[in-house]
Amino acid sequence: MLPLALFLRRRPPDLAASSSGARVAPGGTTGLGISPAALQTLLIIAGVSCCVAMSMPQVHMVAYCSDLGYGAARGAQMLSLMLGCGIVSRLAFGVISDRIGGLRTLLVGAGLQGLSLLLFLPFDGLVSLYLISALFGLFQGGIVPAYAIIVREYFSPTEAGARVGAVLMATLLGMALGGWMSGALFDLAGSYKAAFANGILWNLVTLSIAGWLLRRHLRRPKSTVALV
């Protein structure tokens, strides 16, 4: 890693000229018409929420299959399929985000993730679980990278490191919280149905935030277009 880091090292761009006042409208608001602190807070809440939902299948798939009587080996295969499809998803959503932007990518990714979680409730057959695991992997890969794109689109480049770090820390917190919460709900209810329903509710929080921000983006005054 050290030789590679040295090989990739280059002089940073001149941020002073490119970011003075950029992406922040008069009055201290972002191009979305809300303050930078408010946008950062919303992204953190969305990051926690989407990853609480995301963690449920990833953390508990093996235990879920064992609970259904299919055995841990089947669950491990589904988890491997899910994570493998996640690699494809990450690359595919990268291409998509280049064309539609970070907010739309977050909305699409969270919507598809919610749909795949919803499919776990009525379908628990062996073949169905393989298919849903693959779908979940294909749907969730673009969500977390979208936050970095949103930060780059609506904040100054000089703030990107701290703001991206804060949002990604929130996603890690969401993964930890969701894994624990799903297990606690299983202990209380004796079934993973409640854990899946809990993930869907948290996913709705992310969908609501992404949808609200996108509406503000679409309704922004023309004078702010140059800021983003």
Side-chain angles (χ1 to χ4, degrees), residues 19-32:
S19 64
S20 56
R23 296 171 176 80
V24 179
T29 61
T30 63
L32 297 173

Side-chain angles (χ1 to χ4, degrees), residues 88-182:
V88 177
S89 174
R90 189 66 55 90
L91 297 172
F93 269 102
V95 176
I96 293 171
S97 62
D98 285 341
R99 287 161 172 75
I100 67 175
L103 283 176
R104 289 182 177 87
T105 300
L106 178 60
L107 184 64
V108 170
L112 292 174
Q113 176 176 265
L115 175 63
S116 59
L117 284 172
L118 192 62
L119 292 175
F120 277 109
L121 292 176
F123 301 107
D124 57 7
L126 186 60
V127 175
S128 299
L129 288 176
Y130 275 108
L131 292 175
I132 298 171
S133 296
L135 287 176
F136 185 84
L138 290 173
F139 290 163
Q140 55 84 28
I143 298 176
V144 173
Y147 294 114
I149 299 172
I150 294 170
V151 169
R152 186 61 184 87
E153 289 173 339
Y154 293 101
F155 292 105
S156 168
T158 58
E159 303 172 352
R163 293 192 182 279
V164 171
V167 178
L168 295 187
M169 181 183 69
T171 63
L172 294 175
L173 176 63
M175 292 296 290
L177 177 63
W180 169 83
M181 189 181 296
S182 298

